[in-house]
Amino acid sequence: MSVMAHDIDTVEDGPGPIPNSVLGKAFSILSAFDDDNDTLRLVDLSQRSGVPKPSVYRLAQELVSLGLLERVDNGYRIGFSVFALSQRVGSASLLRSVGRPVLVDLVAMTRGTAHLAVLEGTGTYYLEKLGGTRSVHALSKVGGRLPLTCTASGKLLLAMSPHHEDLLDAVVAERMQRLTSHSTLDHATLRRELDTIREHQLATEHEEALLGFKSFAVPIYDSGHTVIAALSLTVPVCHSGDGALVRTLRLASAGITRQHTKLAMGGGERPSPALRLYR
């Protein structure tokens, strides 16, 4: 049984149009790095970004001086300043700080893999991932994207979006992705599943993302009762007691929603690792 590449971020159609602005070129250079290529030579940066080598060389020196790139013996890699800036993203940073202690508890209780994900365009973007002894070491990663229609988190975010019809049309127009032979490609079946997800506020997948594993996802809301993220658990398909797992997941998402709403409205301090599900 053949399985497609797990991470669509690694699939490239080649460089797009070469940006005209300095900022655009710098962004293209930084975007050339991925999980499989965390260190790149000058020629690699030029080929992957589409920016001419002389411009790459000049901009790389400036990015190094700003800490956005780091010079190593055989090329360049992303600098610490990129990570530092990413931690200042308001909503995402707050969600991570509120959600991480709860994910720690979920992993301890289930020994599965807990994810915190948000909608980004037509993909599922992972803000946080923690795993236990039943951890999924492949597939998802913090900062990575996966198709909306193959993961429990993605299907939940798609179903619960205020613009779910337009979003589904966009996903279909881009051609629905498959991660395994179990991934859904039938539009009518997917629409029925999305209706069920909205009704029960619960999304599931069974070997649609990774063979041998199943996932469950529930929503996290903002103060206006709009879904802003998905909390999910992934366990082996042989795991029993799915009902108890879903109840634990709902309890966890309610805790994150409550704490996030409180902090977003200016009440209280950011959570410490002492925050637990029972609070």
Side-chain angles (χ1 to χ4, degrees):
M1 180 181 299
S2 61
V3 182
M4 294 182 64
H6 287 315
D7 191 341
I8 60 174
D9 286 338
T10 63
V11 179
E12 298 181 15
D13 297 321
I18 300 175
N20 294 320
S21 68
V22 173
L23 181 60
K25 291 177 181 177
F27 179 78
S28 294
I29 292 170
L30 293 173
S31 299
F33 297 89
D34 57 33
D35 275 2
D36 297 322
N37 299 274
D38 59 358
T39 299
L40 294 172
R41 300 172 300 162
L42 189 67
V43 63
D44 298 323
L45 284 173
S46 178
Q47 292 175 350
R48 294 171 68 88
S49 68
V51 179
K53 190 186 294 185
S55 296
V56 171
Y57 177 79
R58 177 177 54 81
L59 288 170
Q61 307 317 303
E62 295 185 38
L63 292 171
V64 168
S65 68
L66 295 169
L68 298 173
L69 281 183
E70 180 182 345
R71 191 76 170 90
V72 293
D73 291 340
N74 56 340
Y76 298 87
R77 63 188 179 195
I78 293 292
F80 182 78
S81 291
V82 174
F83 171 78
L85 287 171
S86 71
Q87 302 307 298
R88 300 174 191 172
V89 180
S91 178
S93 177
L94 180 57
L95 267 173
R96 287 190 69 187
S97 64
V98 169
R100 186 176 176 83
V102 177
L103 264 63
V104 170
D105 277 358
L106 282 174
V107 170
M109 296 170 67
T110 66
R111 294 182 292 164
T113 301
H115 295 94
L116 185 63
V118 295
L119 181 67
E120 184 186 65
T122 55
T124 311
Y125 181 85
Y126 291 92
L127 295 178
E128 192 60 89
K129 172 186 177 180
L130 292 175
T133 57
R134 296 177 177 140
S135 176
V136 180
H137 296 288
L139 189 63
S140 59
K141 62 182 183 294
V142 175
R145 295 173 74 251
L146 287 173
L148 285 176
T149 56
C150 299
T151 65
S153 292
K155 288 192 284 186
L156 183 124
L157 293 168
L158 173 57
M160 303 297 288
S161 168
H163 312 289
H164 56 85
E165 288 292 345
D166 292 337
L167 183 56
L168 179 58
D169 289 342
V171 170
V172 171
E174 290 182 1
R175 292 186 303 174
M176 291 168 60
Q177 301 282 334
R178 295 191 78 183
L179 294 179
T180 76
S181 58
H182 298 276
S183 301
T184 300
L185 288 180
D186 182 73
H187 302 168
T189 299
L190 178 60
R191 286 183 183 276
R192 289 193 296 270
E193 183 177 4
L194 295 178
D195 289 339
T196 301
I197 291 171
R198 278 189 291 275
E199 179 182 356
H200 298 286
Q201 299 182 43
L202 172 69
T204 64
E205 64 84 13
H206 193 281
E207 296 190 291
E208 294 176 53
L210 188 64
L211 295 177
F213 291 89
K214 58 185 176 181
S215 300
F216 306 84
V218 295
I220 295 171
Y221 297 91
D222 65 7
S223 57
H225 304 292
T226 298
V227 174
I228 56 173
L231 179 66
S232 70
L233 272 171
T234 300
V235 294
V237 292
C238 61
H239 178 272
S240 59
D242 290 348
L245 187 149
V246 169
R247 287 191 293 273
T248 300
L249 196 57
R250 290 193 189 279
L251 177 63
S253 68
I256 294 176
T257 294
R258 184 167 55 250
Q259 185 73 0
H260 180 272
T261 299
K262 179 180 178 181
L263 292 173
M265 297 179 68
E269 300 179 354
R270 291 204 173 199
S272 69
L275 176 64
R276 291 296 180 247
L277 296 181
Y278 51 79
R279 288 196 173 186

